Amino acid sequence: MKKTMIALSIALSTSLAAHAATDKVTFHSEDKAMLEKVAALGISQSNWDSNEFASMFFIEPQRVSEHAIIAKSSNPRTFDQSDKSIDLNHIMVQDVDGWELSLNDLLRDRMHNRSMVILQDGKLVHEHYWSGINKETKQLTMSAAKSFTSSLAGIAQAEGYFKFSDNVEKWLPEAKGTVIGAYPIQYVSDMRSGFDLIDDTKNVYGSDWDTSMEHAISWKGHTDSEWVGIKDYTPHLTQLSYEQGKKYEYHSYNTEALGLITQRAVGKHWTEYFQEKIWEKGQFTSDTSIMVDKERTVIACGSMGMTTRDFANMGDIWAHDGKSQNGTQVVPKEWLDNVWAGNDEVKAAWAKGKEAPLAEGFYKDQFRVLNLGGEEWLLAIGVNGQVIAVEKESKTVIAMMGNYNLPSDARWAVDVLHMAIPTIKANIK
């Protein structure tokens, strides 16, 4: 019976992928001509995200992988100029070593920021683009995309497709017999699922994921791995790292599971549902991309490419209780309110996790909610300097793209989260 259920789920996932292409979603191969051009320099799909190569491939990231293109909204929002402004060149700050310089120079030259859009109450306060890009350039979101994935899951729950209280194995029968299967999807969404990674040897992303998962999801192109997608990785999660639900421990697998659960519950390919419920209704102004595995299942944890304006627009939706610029409810307000509020469980789990020294706060539903500069901020964060920061009372949204080349760095957290974000808000005049 177990094998039958797993086979049915796999067949459903494959069928959805096969029928996913529509006039709003199309699938494309990597840019083979570009990859051939750089191969002579030792650059390939196997190392596209390494070292300084990221400074190239975090720009239009769909070039390095098979991917879907999700069409922009038929009713795109506007970015009306605010009567407020900010000049980053005239704000003096200090790096962690005490060296004084302008905030502009710190972000561009030391934090490897590449672009920024600042909104307040829906109006454009500031934007800049460096390194040869512009407002039309798509950039890699990395793990900031996790909050997009969870927002779509929140929509699916509100529409009655599944509940976060459902056990994981209800929608991922391949999880039966693992350490996550008999526990609620909420633990997955909160990064409290308890499993330990399969491989003993960690890769460049440390304890986030392992090479077996990296190959299964096609993060570095389609390899010769026997595992195809997260569905084949899941049955091997048999080792427990901590008691389920008790600790916050960051693993991108959780987001991959949440994306696949959403797709199976809804009965549509993830990209089609995302275009309909978020990208179209949210009035996004440009096409977005997302990488896919061999069966065209999306890499939900961090492979989206989008413009900085669209990145900021998602923050603006979160800032306005889930509504788009024209007042359409996109993300359920009740679900967002629960993210902002947190609960005793996620706060206790945060206190036990390795990020607790970072800030007072918690992690819930693929968002961090942190006290920065004495104010509460909702944060979607990517490992290389991608961030959407939302302060609800003033409806301030700070969206940054970048390619900071040291993942999960404490210095970046101090300079950007604790210093730059509060300083920017304080200097909007």
Side-chain angles (χ1 to χ4, degrees):
M1 183 65 178
K2 177 180 176 182
K3 290 182 178 179
T4 301
M5 288 296 295
I6 293 174
L8 286 172
S9 291
I10 292 171
L12 175 61
S13 297
T14 305
S15 176
L16 288 172
H19 295 89
T22 68
D23 62 332
K24 300 294 185 182
V25 178
T26 55
F27 289 85
H28 307 267
S29 296
E30 63 272 27
D31 186 341
K32 292 183 173 65
M34 182 275 297
L35 289 170
E36 288 177 7
K37 184 176 182 179
V38 300
L41 302 175
I43 305 169
S44 68
Q45 286 178 305
S46 68
N47 61 15
W48 69 269
D49 60 345
S50 302
N51 304 315
E52 277 303 307
F53 302 156
S55 66
M56 293 186 291
F57 298 127
F58 283 15
I59 297 172
E60 300 294 349
Q62 72 281 356
R63 296 179 295 160
V64 302
S65 177
E66 186 176 354
H67 60 278
I69 295 292
I70 299 169
K72 65 184 179 182
S73 175
S74 61
N75 181 30
R77 66 163 291 162
T78 60
F79 286 87
D80 303 324
Q81 194 69 42
S82 173
D83 58 2
K84 298 178 181 179
S85 63
I86 186 171
D87 187 348
L88 302 179
N89 282 301
H90 288 86
I91 301 171
M92 300 306 294
V93 296
Q94 289 186 349
D95 202 345
V96 294
D97 62 352
W99 193 270
E100 188 174 50
L101 70 171
S102 72
L103 184 54
N104 183 86
D105 291 348
L106 176 80
L107 291 171
R108 183 193 62 208
D109 301 332
R110 297 192 175 200
M111 295 294 103
H112 300 268
N113 173 252
R114 184 180 278 126
S115 62
M116 181 189 297
V117 170
I118 303 172
L119 305 175
Q120 195 166 79
D121 202 18
K123 299 293 181 64
L124 181 63
V125 174
H126 169 89
E127 64 182 334
H128 67 245
Y129 301 94
W130 297 320
S131 195
I133 66 168
N134 57 47
K135 66 182 181 181
E136 305 298 334
T137 307
K138 291 190 291 294
Q139 296 179 76
L140 187 64
T141 61
M142 290 299 274
S143 287
K146 288 177 167 63
S147 308
F148 290 66
T149 297
S150 66
S151 292
L152 189 65
I155 293 168
Q157 176 179 248
E159 293 187 340
Y161 287 109
F162 75 93
K163 297 179 181 178
F164 280 69
S165 58
D166 291 343
N167 285 347
V168 171
E169 63 192 23
K170 178 177 180 179
W171 300 103
L172 299 184
E174 57 266 53
K176 286 182 181 292
T178 70
V179 298
I180 69 169
Y183 294 88
I185 295 168
Q186 190 63 62
Y187 287 3
V188 166
S189 193
D190 295 342
M191 302 277 186
R192 296 186 287 134
S193 51
F195 72 88
D196 200 6
L197 295 175
I198 296 170
D199 299 347
D200 292 331
T201 303
K202 305 298 187 292
N203 63 17
V204 67
Y205 298 106
S207 60
D208 180 3
W209 68 26
D210 52 24
T211 301
S212 291
M213 177 176 143
E214 185 176 87
H215 288 173
I217 66 174
S218 298
W219 179 250
K220 295 189 174 180
H222 300 330
T223 69
D224 58 1
S225 170
E226 293 181 359
W227 297 350
V228 180
I230 209 67
K231 64 176 175 46
D232 288 346
Y233 181 88
T234 297
H236 303 276
L237 297 177
T238 57
Q239 299 300 313
L240 195 64
S241 174
Y242 58 90
E243 183 182 354
Q244 295 90 337
K246 300 298 184 182
K247 178 183 175 184
Y248 161 61
E249 190 170 278
Y250 190 93
H251 293 304
S252 285
Y253 167 83
N254 292 295
T255 319
E256 295 299 313
L258 189 61
L260 186 55
I261 287 167
T262 302
Q263 175 170 288
R264 288 181 178 175
V266 170
K268 290 183 179 179
H269 194 271
W270 190 94
T271 55
E272 183 181 350
Y273 192 58
F274 183 84
Q275 199 284 331
E276 175 188 347
K277 297 299 180 180
I278 290 184
W279 220 246
E280 175 63 34
K281 292 176 68 175
Q283 299 184 268
F284 288 84
T285 62
S286 301
D287 296 349
T288 185
S289 66
I290 188 166
M291 299 176 189
V292 297
D293 68 20
K294 293 178 185 177
E295 293 177 346
R296 291 186 172 177
T297 300
V298 298
I299 304 177
C301 67
S303 74
M304 297 191 78
M306 67 185 67
T307 68
T308 314
R309 282 189 167 193
D310 279 339
F311 201 45
N313 182 45
M314 193 64 179
D316 203 39
I317 290 169
W318 296 328
H320 286 85
D321 294 324
K323 292 182 179 179
S324 63
Q325 187 182 57
N326 65 8
T328 299
Q329 194 73 46
V330 180
V331 181
K333 181 181 184 300
E334 181 180 1
W335 183 81
L336 272 177
D337 286 346
N338 287 333
V339 173
W340 277 102
N343 55 53
D344 290 343
E345 287 187 2
V346 295
K347 291 173 183 177
W350 175 266
K352 295 177 182 177
K354 69 178 184 179
E355 293 181 31
L358 174 70
E360 175 189 349
F362 55 88
Y363 188 99
K364 178 166 172 53
D365 290 315
Q366 311 281 299
F367 291 89
R368 291 169 180 84
V369 180
L370 303 180
N371 184 317
L372 304 176
E375 294 181 308
E376 190 172 65
W377 290 81
L378 181 78
L379 296 152
I381 297 176
V383 73
N384 299 98
Q386 303 88 348
V387 61
I388 304 172
V390 179
E391 197 284 310
K392 191 173 183 181
E393 184 175 349
S394 63
K395 294 181 170 53
T396 299
V397 176
I398 303 169
M400 304 185 204
M401 294 286 203
N403 61 286
Y404 192 77
N405 59 13
L406 188 61
S408 305
D409 181 54
R411 176 194 171 205
W412 181 89
V414 171
D415 277 345
V416 175
L417 299 183
H418 285 285
M419 188 270 292
I421 287 173
T423 300
I424 288 168
K425 180 178 178 291
N427 282 276
I428 296 173
K429 307 293 184 183

